[in-house]
Amino acid sequence: MLSFEQHTPTKVVFGKDTEMQVGKLVKEFGGTRVFIVYGGGSVVRSGLLDRVVKQLEAEDIICRASGGVKPNPTLAKAKELIAESIAFGADFILAVGGGSAIDTGKAVAHGTANPDKDFWELWLKKIPLTKSLPIGCVLTLSATGTEMSNSAVLTNEEIHSKKGLSTPFNRPAFSIMNPELTYTLPDYQVRCGIVDIMMHTMDRYFCGSAGWGNELTDQIAESVLRVTIAAGRVAAKNKCDYDAMSELMWAGSLSHNGLTGLGGIRDFSTHGLGHSLSAWFDTAHGASLSVLWGWFAEYVWREIPSRFARYARNVWGIVEEDDEKAALAGIKATVDYFKELEMPTCFSEADIPVQSEEMLATLADAPTANGTGTLGSIKKLTKADAIEIYRMANH
Ligand code: NZQ
Ligand code: ZN
């Protein structure tokens, strides 16, 4: 087992009607002027934003709400909201929505606390982030795990670059998780979320052998996957099933708060490659992962056949003694499950129009720092490897 640190300070308040505690929670964490960040309007239509504002006002907390964050949130929108938040004099950021609203909320917290710094330079860690504002979340979509994670992702549209920032300042002070708030989701987003939850565990479980050896972490990861797959099957048919939506919501948080990879190393290649699809074609995050994972797995499994075989046996119940056959059966079971969820598993199914070799190479630029870096730990993927995986998916 490798040495590790785990600090997940987020106070989780889980269950029905928990959004009614938002005023008290903001007060508990010292907020007096709250800037609320939300998305394209789902929280207005559902009445959630109204309930949240009323709870804040009941605690004499001054607040201002600003929306318009789109999926695959942009740097430009974050900067706009940072300016609003500074002008308002916010001392606390509250994000109400899915991963895009929450990640933008995290960006607004950092930007508001550092008005004199170049924000993109902060995001790329060219300037160290040394302070931020506290952030709270009311989650409406189970997927990204951002409600407990130390990361946030923005797209710089000018250069087609979607980049994550990992910092302890990204861990929310509190997250309100009421599974009933997810009932209004479009079916497609529920399914994208299921893939994302699985991938956050798989991108830790499938790693170079230096990261193996923590049996407890491995069994937690396998359990999170089994439960997510089963709850996902129920949720895909009935997104108003409280138990299934609850399992998914909690699995989403545990998948990406660090727990499923403790004492190991990670391989987030599929995420890195997927972000380029989102940056160029606005592909939904979960879809970028379902499109690529099967091809990525096919490309790398021979490096660690026993790991893929263990996954096949312990997650999918595949009975096969031969490691290589088991590994391939596990990859097939995963891709079949994505298909069962009606998620895309190649470019054409996700409306990703790549027609030239040149474009495949362009896609590979951002994840490999223009060919100067590598991705992942199973096999250190070069730009040429990345191009090959995109080529496999391009039909
Ligand atoms: O914008 P609104 O109107 O709210 O509608 C959203 C959006 O259209 C809608 N939605 C969300 N909750 C709803 C709802 N519609 C009805 N009822 C509800 N309860 O769903 C659509 C997608 O929302 P979005 O927030 O974009 O989805 P998601 O939660 O999947 O977030 C995706 C973003 O998070 C990043 C992704 O890359 C992507 O940019 N990620 C963030 C991570 C992190 N911070 O740790 C980790 C992930 O790997 C991921 O990269
Ligand atoms: Zn993800």
Side-chain angles (χ1 to χ4, degrees), residues 71 141-144 185-200 228 232 236 248 271 282-291 337-338 341-344 350:
L141 202 175
S142 309
T144 61
L185 277 166
D187 291 344
Y188 180 59
Q189 291 298 338
V190 175
R191 293 155 193 230
C192 282
I194 296 163
V195 174
D196 197 19
I197 294 167
M198 290 174 67
M199 286 304 312
H200 292 150
T228 302
L248 287 181
H271 267 76
D282 210 14
T283 309
H285 176 60
S288 77
L289 304 173
S290 65
V291 160
Y337 181 71
F338 293 162
L341 294 176
E342 297 175 23
M343 290 299 292

Side-chain angles (χ1 to χ4, degrees), residues 14 142-145 147-148 177 193-194 196-198 200-201 223-229 231 244-257 259-260:
F14 193 104
S142 309
T144 61
E147 66 277 4
M148 285 187 88
M177 300 187 214
I194 296 163
D196 197 19
I197 294 167
M198 290 174 67
H200 292 150
T201 293
S223 172
V224 167
L225 285 166
R226 285 193 301 268
V227 171
T228 302
I229 291 160
M245 295 311 258
S246 299
E247 299 289 0
L248 287 181
M249 192 168 251
W250 190 222
S253 302
L254 296 190
S255 274
H256 203 40
N257 75 357
L259 178 72
T260 58

Side-chain angles (χ1 to χ4, degrees), residues 92-95 102 105-107 109 133-137 169-174:
F92 192 99
I93 308 299
L94 181 67
I102 295 174
K106 292 178 178 182
L133 293 188
I135 171 163
C137 309
F169 292 111
N170 275 334
R171 303 263 191 203
F174 69 79

Side-chain angles (χ1 to χ4, degrees), residues 39-42 45 69 71-73 98-101 103 106 140-141 143-146 149 151-153 162 181-182 184-186 189 196 200 256 271 275 285:
S42 71
R45 291 189 293 279
V69 174
N72 293 320
S100 297
D103 283 5
K106 292 178 178 182
T140 65
L141 202 175
T144 61
T146 185
S149 82
S151 55
V153 192
K162 183 171 177 180
L181 298 178
T182 64
T184 51
L185 277 166
Q189 291 298 338
D196 197 19
H200 292 150
H256 203 40
H271 267 76
H275 284 341
H285 176 60

